[in-house]
Amino acid sequence: MANPVPLRSRLRRYGTSYAMLLPFLALFAGFLLWPLANSLYLSFTTFDGINPAAFTGLDNFRDLLDDTRFRHALGNTAVYVVASVALGTLLSLGLALAFNGTGWAHRIMRTLFFLPSVTSSIALMLMWKWVLFPSDVGLANTIVSWFGGRAVAWLATPGLTIPILVLMAVWGGMGYGMVLYVAGLGSIPEEYDEAAKIDGASTWQRFRHITLPLLRPVTTYVVVTGLIGAFQVFEAVYIVFRGTNMIGGVLDSGLMIVPYLYDQGFTHFKLGYASAIAWVLFLIIFVLSLANLRLGRATKEL
């Protein structure tokens, strides 16, 4: 058995490398580890940002169970996440299959669909707010008037809030998923498809039994990142639907977890309660992401 390298010799050999890592470690600890630890502590306290934090144990988490507005935000978020991730993944795959070629036309189409993914989210939300403006100034109502219809109060109709949020999310994110799927399609060996053609497999059979299984790692990544992004939706609600007194729009129809967290922490100054909401959100995302990774691994082994 080899003798372990003495600490002094290790420092002499790698001391310069360790020293070069210190600035990063200091920034990592100061701007990530410390805020996370402080947020975890605050979730067990009552803190308004001015007076000293008072430790209250699990009271914030118990209050969440009885908070009807939090449950409403959680329900809205669940519907939004399921709809936006499912539709976004399907449309991303469809776009990748439609524009998977190497010609200039396919490249232009991929670029056009990818542009919203690299555009400022604030600019996109302001654009959507103009499109959905309630009077004839808005683009959507202008198009409705061309067909003789009346102006629709898009942002003041509770039943339209979640569909509009899903539409904005899918439109803005499907180009990113498309690029990932295009890369995944390009990594599939052509020999598999040619062999299936020789065996008489139809287009649907080749897609179902060859393309989809080999795209499973890409699908897992698209779904997991989509879940994380959907649970953290904020700009769309805050910019497009926020009212004077209600951050979630009319009747809180667009209230999501992160906007509710912001409302509790920076409007009502209940920073301990907001920290508890943040850690509940973290646990939800962590469990769902882990479940998706485990499911993707299990289906890969079948």
Side-chain angles (χ1 to χ4, degrees):
M1 183 176 179
N3 293 326
V5 180
L7 178 61
R8 183 177 299 178
S9 299
R10 189 181 304 172
L11 289 176
R12 189 182 301 114
R13 181 180 300 177
Y14 303 111
T16 303
S17 301
Y18 292 152
M20 294 179 68
L21 286 174
L22 285 178
F24 166 77
L25 294 176
L27 293 173
F28 182 77
F31 290 95
L32 184 64
L33 295 182
W34 166 245
L36 283 175
N38 194 39
S39 172
L40 182 60
Y41 167 72
L42 290 178
S43 67
F44 298 104
T45 67
T46 298
F47 182 54
D48 59 5
I50 299 175
N51 299 307
F55 186 79
T56 57
L58 297 174
D59 287 354
N60 287 329
F61 296 95
R62 294 193 188 98
D63 292 342
L64 283 176
L65 297 177
D66 300 324
D67 190 343
T68 56
R69 200 169 177 221
F70 172 74
R71 293 201 298 268
H72 180 66
L74 187 61
N76 283 346
T77 305
V79 174
Y80 168 80
V81 168
V82 171
S84 62
V85 173
L87 289 175
T89 303
L90 290 175
L91 289 176
S92 296
L93 178 58
L95 289 173
L97 293 171
F99 305 115
N100 189 35
T102 57
W104 63 269
H106 283 202
R107 294 180 181 178
I108 291 176
M109 294 303 297
R110 289 200 297 267
T111 301
L112 292 176
F113 278 106
F114 185 67
L115 277 178
S117 301
V118 294
T119 304
S120 168
S121 59
I122 304 299
L124 291 179
M125 294 306 107
L126 291 174
M127 182 200 73
W128 275 107
K129 192 171 185 177
W130 165 70
V131 169
L132 300 171
F133 202 76
S135 68
D136 293 337
V137 177
L139 179 61
N141 279 330
T142 300
I143 296 175
V144 169
S145 66
W146 291 346
F147 297 93
R150 296 181 178 179
V152 179
W154 303 99
L155 304 181
T157 305
L160 295 177
T161 302
I162 299 296
I164 289 174
L165 287 171
V166 171
L167 173 64
M168 291 190 294
V170 172
W171 177 83
M174 62 183 179
Y176 175 74
M178 174 199 66
V179 170
L180 295 175
Y181 273 118
V182 168
L185 290 171
S187 66
I188 298 177
E190 296 182 0
E191 291 81 2
Y192 295 166
D193 194 64
E194 294 174 356
K197 285 181 181 179
I198 295 174
D199 291 337
S202 63
T203 302
W204 168 249
Q205 289 174 329
R206 297 198 305 272
F207 174 74
R208 179 182 177 185
H209 297 289
I210 297 177
T211 304
L212 275 183
L214 293 176
L215 286 177
R216 189 173 293 119
V218 179
T219 301
T220 301
Y221 180 82
V222 170
V223 170
V224 169
T225 54
L227 282 172
I228 295 172
F231 268 107
Q232 296 178 342
V233 59
F234 176 76
E235 294 94 340
V237 177
Y238 186 81
I239 295 176
V240 179
F241 287 96
R242 183 191 183 200
T244 304
N245 298 318
M246 304 291 283
I247 195 172
V250 178
L251 300 178
D252 271 342
S253 57
L255 185 64
M256 302 291 174
I257 294 180
V258 174
Y260 184 57
L261 183 159
Y262 175 88
D263 186 52
Q264 291 298 304
F266 299 101
T267 301
H268 298 91
F269 297 102
K270 299 167 64 176
L271 297 176
Y273 194 63
S275 297
I277 297 173
W279 279 96
V280 169
L281 177 61
F282 165 75
L283 290 175
I284 292 173
I285 294 176
F286 177 78
V287 170
L288 290 177
S289 299
L290 185 62
N292 274 281
L293 292 173
R294 291 287 181 89
L295 180 62
R297 188 179 304 171
T299 54
K300 184 178 180 179
E301 294 173 355
L302 293 178

Coordinates of all heavy atoms in Angstrom, one line a residue, residues 53 86 118 134 184 216 248 260 280 283 293:
A53 N -34.2 39.5 14.1 CA -35.0 38.3 13.8 C -35.3 37.6 15.1 O -34.4 37.4 16.0 CB -34.3 37.4 12.8
A86 N -45.3 20.5 -20.7 CA -45.8 19.5 -21.7 C -45.8 20.1 -23.1 O -45.3 19.5 -24.1 CB -47.1 18.9 -21.2
V118 N -33.1 34.2 -26.4 CA -31.9 35.0 -26.1 C -32.2 36.5 -26.0 O -31.3 37.3 -25.9 CB -30.8 34.8 -27.1 CG1 -30.3 33.3 -27.1 CG2 -31.3 35.1 -28.6
P134 N -55.9 46.1 -23.4 CA -57.3 45.9 -23.5 C -58.0 46.7 -24.6 O -59.1 46.3 -25.1 CB -57.8 46.3 -22.1 CG -56.8 47.2 -21.6 CD -55.5 46.7 -22.1
G184 N -29.6 16.7 -30.6 CA -29.8 15.2 -30.3 C -30.1 14.4 -31.5 O -29.6 13.3 -31.7
R216 N -34.0 10.3 -25.4 CA -34.5 10.3 -24.0 C -33.6 11.2 -23.1 O -34.1 11.9 -22.3 CB -34.5 8.9 -23.4 CG -35.2 8.8 -22.0 CD -35.4 7.4 -21.6 NE -36.4 6.7 -22.4 CZ -36.1 5.6 -23.2 NH1 -34.9 5.1 -23.2 NH2 -37.1 5.1 -23.9
G248 N -51.0 39.2 -8.3 CA -51.4 38.1 -9.2 C -52.5 38.5 -10.2 O -53.1 37.6 -10.8
Y260 N -45.7 35.5 -5.2 CA -46.3 35.5 -3.8 C -45.2 35.7 -2.8 O -45.3 36.4 -1.8 CB -47.1 34.2 -3.5 CG -47.8 34.2 -2.2 CD1 -48.6 35.3 -1.8 CD2 -47.5 33.2 -1.3 CE1 -49.2 35.3 -0.6 CE2 -48.1 33.2 0.0 CZ -49.0 34.3 0.3 OH -49.6 34.3 1.5
V280 N -39.6 25.9 0.7 CA -40.7 25.0 0.2 C -40.6 24.8 -1.3 O -40.7 23.7 -1.9 CB -42.1 25.4 0.6 CG1 -43.2 24.6 -0.1 CG2 -42.2 25.3 2.1
L283 N -37.6 22.6 -2.2 CA -37.9 21.2 -2.0 C -38.8 20.6 -3.1 O -38.5 19.5 -3.5 CB -38.5 21.0 -0.6 CG -37.6 21.3 0.6 CD1 -38.4 21.1 1.9 CD2 -36.4 20.3 0.6
L293 N -35.1 12.6 -13.1 CA -33.8 12.0 -13.4 C -33.9 10.5 -13.2 O -33.3 9.7 -14.0 CB -32.7 12.6 -12.6 CG -32.4 14.1 -13.0 CD1 -31.4 14.7 -12.0 CD2 -31.8 14.2 -14.4

